[in-house]
Amino acid sequence: MDFPLIPVVLGAVLLLVFLYFFPISLWITAIFSGVRVGLFQLVLMRVRKVPPSLIVNSLITSTKAGMNLTANDLETHYLAGGNVPTVIKALISADKAGIPLSFNQATAIDLAGRDVFEAVTTSVNPKVINTPNVAAVAQDGIQLIAKARITVRANIAQLVGGAGEETILARVGEGIVTSIGSSISHKEVLENPDKISKLVLQKGLDAGTAFEILSIDIADIDIGENIGAKLQIDQANADLKVAEAKAEERRAMAVAVEQENRAKTQEAKARVVEAEAEIPKAISEAFRSGNLGVMDYYKMRNVQADTDMRDSIANPGGQSSSTKPGRDEQRLT
């Protein structure tokens, strides 16, 4: 006799589908745990693609912890994209630590993208934030490189909309730079580094942030470069370049003036040569008109000869310019 396999397989499939949409075992577990969840409500969770086990287990945990939550609250938070187990864990931790935290606050923090359980843990156990190296210059021009440790705890009321760790680091770094910059000498900062933390704490840097600053401790201070001397050297080099540029400008102007004077000298010499060229013509014209006699001419030549001799004695090897008119005159006569 053949065993009816197809009806058995079909029945098994139907049973699995029934048990999937009707999680009876989970419903019984909820009843024995003191959680009121209807079976039809679990079916609707399956239809809405909400894992019933997640909601029921979280509801059991919250009920055992003494919290008055409903399945609808947890299901709504899950459908909104929240992390239900993390919220329940955070609420239990806050309740045990005596931190006021409501379900609406926890869900808002979770939906805002922050880890609500980590926030509660940080509120109970403060954490330390190490700042990067902060460089600042004292009034004597010496650069100091400081590194601080910031002890903070979470401010539950400011977690939604409050600034994060980056803002704390930026504000503390700004406070360190201001404190070192207001110091007259770098030695004063090295002798009393606690002055920096006191001045920074007085500024109320945690306003508007998700943290409360408990303390700011200077972990290390190193001496950097002599920024003041470096700036003075750079300024001196800049002044030297400006002076060199001005000197070069004056030299160029002097060269231009010299060249201009040379051109004027050459022009004057040209006019002198041009004027001297008219002398032989004038002598020839004087001979023809009878205004100049032979004896006058020779007397003039003797005077020129005496002048050339005196010039040659005074300037050996030189050539007297007074002989040139005589040669020109000879050529013309």
Side-chain angles (χ1 to χ4, degrees), residues 192-249:
N192 301 300
D194 57 325
K195 286 185 177 180
I196 300 177
S197 57
K198 291 179 181 178
L199 289 174
V200 174
L201 280 174
Q202 292 175 358
K203 295 180 179 295
L205 302 179
D206 53 2
T209 65
F211 299 95
E212 178 185 355
I213 298 178
L214 301 179
S215 67
I216 299 175
D217 303 311
I218 303 301
D220 186 22
I221 297 180
D222 295 328
I223 298 177
E225 300 178 353
N226 192 338
I227 302 298
K230 187 176 180 181
L231 292 176
Q232 290 178 359
I233 293 172
D234 293 341
Q235 184 63 41
N237 291 332
D239 294 341
L240 177 61
K241 290 181 179 179
V242 172
E244 289 177 349
K246 291 182 178 179
E248 179 65 22
E249 182 181 359

Side-chain angles (χ1 to χ4, degrees), residues 96-119:
K96 299 301 181 183
I99 299 174
L101 179 65
S102 64
F103 177 74
N104 291 332
Q105 284 181 318
T107 54
I109 294 171
D110 184 56
L111 293 177
R114 297 184 183 272
D115 192 336
V116 61
F117 179 70
E118 181 183 358

Side-chain angles (χ1 to χ4, degrees), residues 151-166:
T151 304
V152 298
R153 70 181 174 193
N155 188 353
I156 302 297
Q158 293 289 337
L159 279 175
V160 178
E165 294 183 11
E166 293 79 6

Side-chain angles (χ1 to χ4, degrees), residues 1-331:
M1 181 177 180
D2 296 335
F3 189 77
L5 182 61
I6 296 177
V8 172
V9 173
L10 184 59
V13 172
L14 292 176
L15 180 61
L16 292 175
V17 172
F18 177 79
L19 293 177
Y20 176 78
F21 283 98
F22 293 87
I24 298 177
S25 61
L26 187 63
W27 176 60
I28 296 174
T29 302
I31 292 176
F32 280 98
S33 299
V35 177
R36 294 184 178 181
V37 180
L39 182 61
F40 185 70
Q41 189 176 4
L42 296 178
V43 174
L44 293 179
M45 290 182 188
R46 289 292 189 188
V47 174
R48 289 190 288 266
K49 296 182 179 180
V50 177
S53 59
L54 177 66
I55 301 299
V56 172
N57 292 332
S58 299
L59 193 58
I60 292 173
T61 303
S62 62
T63 302
K64 294 298 181 181
M67 289 182 288
N68 187 18
L69 299 178
T70 63
N72 289 330
D73 295 334
L74 302 183
E75 188 178 357
T76 301
H77 184 60
Y78 179 85
L79 291 174
N83 192 333
V84 176
T86 301
V87 171
I88 298 301
K89 191 188 300 184
L91 289 172
I92 295 174
S93 299
D95 181 65
K96 299 301 181 183
I99 299 174
L101 179 65
S102 64
F103 177 74
N104 291 332
Q105 284 181 318
T107 54
I109 294 171
D110 184 56
L111 293 177
R114 297 184 183 272
D115 192 336
V116 61
F117 179 70
E118 181 183 358
V120 174
T121 304
T122 305
S123 181
V124 176
N125 184 20
K127 70 174 182 177
V128 177
I129 304 174
N130 293 320
T131 64
N133 293 334
V134 180
V137 181
Q139 293 183 12
D140 58 356
I142 304 299
Q143 182 188 51
L144 295 177
I145 303 174
K147 188 174 183 180
R149 290 175 181 164
I150 312 168
T151 304
V152 298
R153 70 181 174 193
N155 188 353
I156 302 297
Q158 293 289 337
L159 279 175
V160 178
E165 294 183 11
E166 293 79 6
T167 303
I168 294 290
L169 291 174
R171 291 181 179 179
V172 171
E174 180 183 357
I176 292 174
V177 171
T178 303
S179 177
I180 295 177
S182 61
S183 301
I184 298 176
S185 173
H186 71 284
K187 296 180 181 179
E188 179 183 349
V189 179
L190 294 176
E191 292 173 358
N192 301 300
D194 57 325
K195 286 185 177 180
I196 300 177
S197 57
K198 291 179 181 178
L199 289 174
V200 174
L201 280 174
Q202 292 175 358
K203 295 180 179 295
L205 302 179
D206 53 2
T209 65
F211 299 95
E212 178 185 355
I213 298 178
L214 301 179
S215 67
I216 299 175
D217 303 311
I218 303 301
D220 186 22
I221 297 180
D222 295 328
I223 298 177
E225 300 178 353
N226 192 338
I227 302 298
K230 187 176 180 181
L231 292 176
Q232 290 178 359
I233 293 172
D234 293 341
Q235 184 63 41
N237 291 332
D239 294 341
L240 177 61
K241 290 181 179 179
V242 172
E244 289 177 349
K246 291 182 178 179
E248 179 65 22
E249 182 181 359
R250 290 194 296 269
R251 189 194 67 81
M253 292 178 63
V255 170
V257 172
E258 182 182 1
Q259 294 295 330
E260 184 178 355
N261 291 334
R262 287 182 180 180
K264 290 180 180 180
T265 301
Q266 294 297 329
E267 183 180 358
K269 288 181 178 180
R271 287 197 297 268
V272 170
V273 172
E274 183 180 359
E276 289 179 348
E278 298 294 330
I279 294 176
K281 296 179 181 180
I283 293 174
S284 300
E285 183 64 29
F287 270 115
R288 284 192 292 269
S289 61
N291 293 328
L292 181 63
V294 176
M295 296 305 295
D296 295 330
Y297 175 72
Y298 279 110
K299 187 182 294 186
M300 182 184 66
R301 291 298 304 274
N302 290 333
V303 173
Q304 289 179 350
D306 293 339
T307 303
D308 292 339
M309 180 180 66
R310 293 188 183 94
D311 290 340
S312 62
I313 294 172
N315 186 16
Q319 183 178 1
S320 177
S321 60
S322 61
T323 58
K324 294 180 180 179
R327 288 195 295 269
D328 294 336
E329 295 166 5
Q330 290 176 359
R331 285 195 297 268

